[in-house]
Coordinates of all heavy atoms in Angstrom, one line a residue:
E1 N 6.6 -28.0 -74.6 CA 6.7 -29.3 -74.1 C 5.4 -29.9 -73.6 O 4.4 -29.1 -73.2 CB 7.6 -29.2 -72.9 CG 9.0 -28.8 -73.2 CD 9.8 -28.7 -71.9 OE1 9.6 -29.6 -71.0 OE2 10.7 -27.9 -71.8
Q2 N 5.3 -31.1 -73.7 CA 4.0 -31.8 -73.2 C 4.2 -32.1 -71.8 O 5.2 -32.3 -71.2 CB 3.8 -33.1 -74.1 CG 3.5 -32.9 -75.4 CD 3.2 -34.3 -76.1 OE1 3.5 -35.4 -75.6 NE2 2.6 -34.3 -77.3
L3 N 3.0 -32.2 -71.1 CA 3.0 -32.7 -69.6 C 3.5 -34.1 -69.6 O 3.1 -34.9 -70.3 CB 1.7 -32.4 -69.1 CG 1.1 -31.0 -69.0 CD1 -0.1 -31.1 -68.6 CD2 2.1 -30.2 -68.2
K4 N 4.3 -34.4 -68.6 CA 4.7 -35.7 -68.4 C 4.4 -36.1 -66.9 O 4.7 -35.3 -66.0 CB 6.3 -35.8 -68.8 CG 6.5 -35.6 -70.2 CD 8.0 -35.6 -70.4 CE 8.2 -35.3 -72.0 NZ 9.4 -34.7 -72.2
P5 N 4.2 -37.4 -66.8 CA 4.1 -37.8 -65.3 C 5.3 -37.6 -64.5 O 6.4 -37.6 -65.1 CB 3.7 -39.3 -65.4 CG 3.3 -39.4 -66.8 CD 3.9 -38.5 -67.6
N6 N 5.1 -37.4 -63.3 CA 6.3 -37.1 -62.4 C 7.3 -38.3 -62.4 O 8.5 -38.3 -62.4 CB 5.9 -36.9 -60.9 CG 5.2 -35.7 -60.7 OD1 5.1 -34.7 -61.7 ND2 4.6 -35.4 -59.7
T7 N 6.6 -39.5 -62.3 CA 7.4 -40.8 -62.4 C 6.5 -41.8 -63.1 O 5.3 -41.6 -63.2 CB 7.7 -41.4 -60.9 OG1 6.4 -41.8 -60.3 CG2 8.4 -40.4 -60.1
P8 N 7.1 -42.9 -63.6 CA 6.1 -43.8 -64.3 C 5.0 -44.4 -63.4 O 4.1 -45.0 -63.9 CB 7.2 -45.0 -64.6 CG 8.6 -44.3 -64.6 CD 8.4 -43.2 -63.6
M9 N 5.2 -44.4 -62.1 CA 4.1 -44.9 -61.2 C 3.0 -44.0 -60.8 O 2.2 -44.4 -60.1 CB 4.9 -45.4 -59.8 CG 5.9 -46.5 -60.1 SD 5.3 -48.0 -60.9 CE 4.3 -48.6 -59.4
N10 N 3.0 -42.7 -61.2 CA 2.1 -41.8 -60.8 C 0.8 -41.7 -61.5 O -0.1 -41.0 -61.2 CB 2.8 -40.4 -60.8 CG 3.6 -40.1 -59.6 OD1 3.5 -40.9 -58.6 ND2 4.2 -39.1 -59.5
N11 N 0.6 -42.5 -62.5 CA -0.7 -42.8 -63.2 C -1.5 -41.4 -63.5 O -2.5 -41.2 -62.9 CB -1.5 -43.7 -62.4 CG -1.0 -45.0 -62.3 OD1 -0.4 -45.6 -63.3 ND2 -1.2 -45.7 -61.2
G12 N -0.9 -40.6 -64.2 CA -1.6 -39.3 -64.6 C -1.4 -38.1 -63.7 O -1.8 -37.1 -64.1
I13 N -0.5 -38.2 -62.6 CA -0.2 -37.0 -61.9 C 1.0 -36.4 -62.5 O 2.0 -37.0 -62.8 CB 0.2 -37.4 -60.4 CG1 -1.1 -38.0 -59.7 CG2 0.7 -36.2 -59.7 CD1 -0.9 -38.5 -58.3
C14 N 0.8 -35.2 -62.9 CA 1.8 -34.3 -63.6 C 2.1 -33.1 -62.7 O 1.3 -32.5 -62.1 CB 1.4 -33.9 -64.9 SG 1.0 -35.3 -66.0
K15 N 3.5 -32.7 -62.8 CA 3.9 -31.5 -62.1 C 3.9 -30.5 -63.2 O 4.6 -30.6 -64.1 CB 5.2 -31.7 -61.4 CG 5.7 -30.5 -60.7 CD 7.1 -30.8 -60.0 CE 6.9 -31.6 -58.7 NZ 6.1 -31.1 -57.6
L16 N 3.2 -29.3 -63.0 CA 3.3 -28.2 -63.8 C 4.6 -27.5 -63.6 O 4.9 -27.3 -62.5 CB 2.2 -27.3 -63.8 CG 0.8 -28.0 -64.1 CD1 -0.4 -26.8 -63.9 CD2 0.7 -28.3 -65.6
S17 N 5.3 -27.1 -64.5 CA 6.4 -26.3 -64.3 C 6.1 -24.9 -63.8 O 4.9 -24.5 -63.8 CB 7.2 -26.0 -65.6 OG 6.8 -24.8 -66.3
F18 N 7.0 -24.2 -63.0 CA 6.6 -23.1 -62.3 C 6.6 -21.9 -63.3 O 6.5 -20.8 -63.0 CB 7.5 -22.9 -61.1 CG 7.1 -23.8 -60.0 CD1 7.8 -24.8 -59.6 CD2 5.9 -23.5 -59.3 CE1 7.4 -25.7 -58.6 CE2 5.5 -24.4 -58.3 CZ 6.2 -25.4 -58.0
D19 N 6.8 -22.2 -64.6 CA 6.6 -21.2 -65.6 C 5.1 -20.9 -65.7 O 4.6 -19.8 -66.2 CB 7.0 -21.8 -67.0 CG 8.5 -21.9 -67.2 OD1 9.2 -21.3 -66.4 OD2 8.9 -22.7 -68.0
F20 N 4.2 -21.9 -65.2 CA 2.8 -21.7 -65.1 C 2.6 -21.0 -63.8 O 3.3 -21.1 -62.9 CB 2.1 -23.1 -65.2 CG 2.0 -23.7 -66.4 CD1 3.0 -24.8 -66.8 CD2 1.0 -23.4 -67.5 CE1 2.8 -25.4 -67.9 CE2 1.0 -24.1 -68.7 CZ 2.0 -25.1 -68.9
P21 N 1.5 -20.2 -63.7 CA 1.1 -19.7 -62.4 C 0.9 -20.9 -61.4 O 0.5 -21.9 -61.9 CB -0.2 -19.0 -62.6 CG -0.3 -18.8 -64.1 CD 0.5 -19.9 -64.7
I22 N 1.0 -20.8 -60.1 CA 0.8 -21.8 -59.2 C -0.8 -22.0 -59.2 O -1.5 -21.1 -58.7 CB 1.4 -21.5 -57.9 CG1 2.8 -21.4 -57.9 CG2 0.9 -22.5 -56.9 CD1 3.6 -21.0 -56.7
I23 N -1.3 -23.1 -59.7 CA -2.7 -23.3 -59.7 C -3.2 -24.5 -58.9 O -4.4 -24.7 -58.8 CB -3.2 -23.5 -61.2 CG1 -2.4 -24.6 -61.8 CG2 -2.9 -22.2 -62.0 CD1 -3.0 -25.0 -63.2
S24 N -2.3 -25.2 -58.3 CA -2.6 -26.4 -57.6 C -1.7 -26.5 -56.4 O -0.5 -26.5 -56.5 CB -2.5 -27.7 -58.4 OG -3.1 -28.8 -57.8
N25 N -2.3 -26.6 -55.1 CA -1.5 -26.7 -53.9 C -0.7 -28.1 -54.0 O -1.2 -29.0 -54.5 CB -2.3 -26.6 -52.7 CG -3.0 -25.3 -52.4 OD1 -2.5 -24.3 -52.9 ND2 -4.0 -25.2 -51.6
G26 N 0.3 -28.1 -53.2 CA 1.0 -29.4 -53.2 C 2.1 -29.4 -54.2 O 2.2 -30.5 -54.8
G27 N 2.8 -28.4 -54.7 CA 3.9 -28.5 -55.6 C 3.3 -28.3 -57.1 O 4.2 -28.7 -58.1
N28 N 2.2 -27.7 -57.2 CA 1.6 -27.4 -58.7 C 1.4 -28.7 -59.4 O 1.5 -28.7 -60.6 CB 2.6 -26.5 -59.4 CG 1.7 -25.4 -60.2 OD1 0.6 -25.2 -59.9 ND2 2.3 -24.8 -61.1
D29 N 1.1 -29.8 -58.6 CA 0.8 -31.1 -59.3 C -0.7 -31.1 -59.8 O -1.5 -30.4 -59.1 CB 0.9 -32.3 -58.4 CG 2.4 -32.5 -58.1 OD1 3.2 -32.0 -58.7 OD2 2.6 -33.4 -57.1
I30 N -1.0 -31.7 -60.9 CA -2.4 -31.9 -61.2 C -2.6 -33.3 -61.6 O -1.5 -34.1 -61.8 CB -2.7 -30.9 -62.7 CG1 -1.8 -31.4 -63.8 CG2 -2.7 -29.5 -62.2 CD1 -2.3 -30.7 -65.0
W31 N -3.8 -33.8 -61.7 CA -4.1 -35.2 -61.9 C -4.9 -35.3 -63.2 O -6.1 -34.7 -63.2 CB -4.8 -35.9 -60.8 CG -5.0 -37.4 -60.8 CD1 -4.7 -38.2 -61.9 CD2 -5.5 -38.1 -59.7 NE1 -5.1 -39.5 -61.4 CE2 -5.5 -39.6 -60.2 CE3 -5.9 -37.9 -58.4 CZ2 -6.0 -40.4 -59.4 CZ3 -6.3 -38.9 -57.6 CH2 -6.3 -40.1 -58.1
I32 N -4.5 -35.9 -64.3 CA -5.2 -36.0 -65.5 C -5.7 -37.5 -65.7 O -4.9 -38.5 -65.6 CB -4.3 -35.6 -66.7 CG1 -3.8 -34.2 -66.5 CG2 -5.0 -35.7 -68.0 CD1 -2.7 -33.9 -67.4
C33 N -7.0 -37.6 -65.9 CA -7.7 -38.9 -66.1 C -8.2 -38.8 -67.5 O -9.1 -37.9 -67.8 CB -8.8 -39.1 -65.1 SG -8.3 -39.1 -63.4
Q34 N -7.9 -39.8 -68.4 CA -8.5 -39.7 -69.8 C -9.3 -41.0 -70.0 O -8.8 -42.1 -69.7 CB -7.4 -39.6 -70.7 CG -7.8 -39.6 -72.2 CD -6.6 -39.3 -73.1 OE1 -5.5 -39.0 -72.7 NE2 -7.0 -39.1 -74.4
N35 N -10.5 -40.7 -70.6 CA -11.2 -41.8 -71.2 C -10.9 -42.1 -72.6 O -11.2 -41.3 -73.5 CB -12.7 -41.4 -71.1 CG -13.7 -42.6 -71.6 OD1 -13.3 -43.2 -72.5 ND2 -14.9 -42.6 -71.0
K36 N -10.0 -43.1 -72.7 CA -9.5 -43.3 -74.1 C -10.5 -43.7 -75.2 O -10.4 -43.4 -76.4 CB -8.5 -44.4 -74.0 CG -7.2 -44.0 -73.0 CD -6.1 -45.0 -73.1 CE -5.0 -44.7 -72.1 NZ -4.3 -43.6 -72.2
T37 N -11.6 -44.3 -74.8 CA -12.6 -44.6 -75.8 C -13.3 -43.3 -76.3 O -13.6 -43.2 -77.4 CB -13.6 -45.6 -75.1 OG1 -13.1 -46.4 -74.2 CG2 -14.4 -46.4 -76.1
E38 N -13.7 -42.5 -75.4 CA -14.4 -41.2 -75.7 C -13.5 -40.1 -76.1 O -14.0 -39.0 -76.6 CB -15.4 -40.9 -74.5 CG -16.3 -41.9 -74.1 CD -17.4 -42.2 -75.1 OE1 -17.8 -41.3 -75.8 OE2 -17.8 -43.3 -75.2
G39 N -12.3 -40.1 -75.6 CA -11.4 -39.0 -75.9 C -11.7 -37.8 -74.9 O -11.2 -36.7 -75.2

């Protein structure tokens, strides 16, 4: 599965499933920012 935002309004904040080790405090959320021009 691909990572998906928690809600449409979260602008890159994704919740990792707990199949992953807990790597981020606050519910295993991460924030992904992408530079679309540079990739």
Side-chain angles (χ1 to χ4, degrees):
E1 294 181 38
Q2 292 184 349
L3 295 175
K4 297 177 183 160
N6 295 349
T7 69
M9 300 299 291
N10 276 352
N11 296 326
I13 297 176
C14 298
K15 181 177 290 293
L16 295 176
S17 90
F18 288 105
D19 295 337
F20 288 97
I22 296 174
I23 57 172
S24 188
N25 289 342
N28 223 19
D29 291 343
I30 61 172
W31 189 351
I32 302 171
C33 308
Q34 183 171 0
N35 180 328
K36 295 185 190 296
T37 327
E38 302 292 324

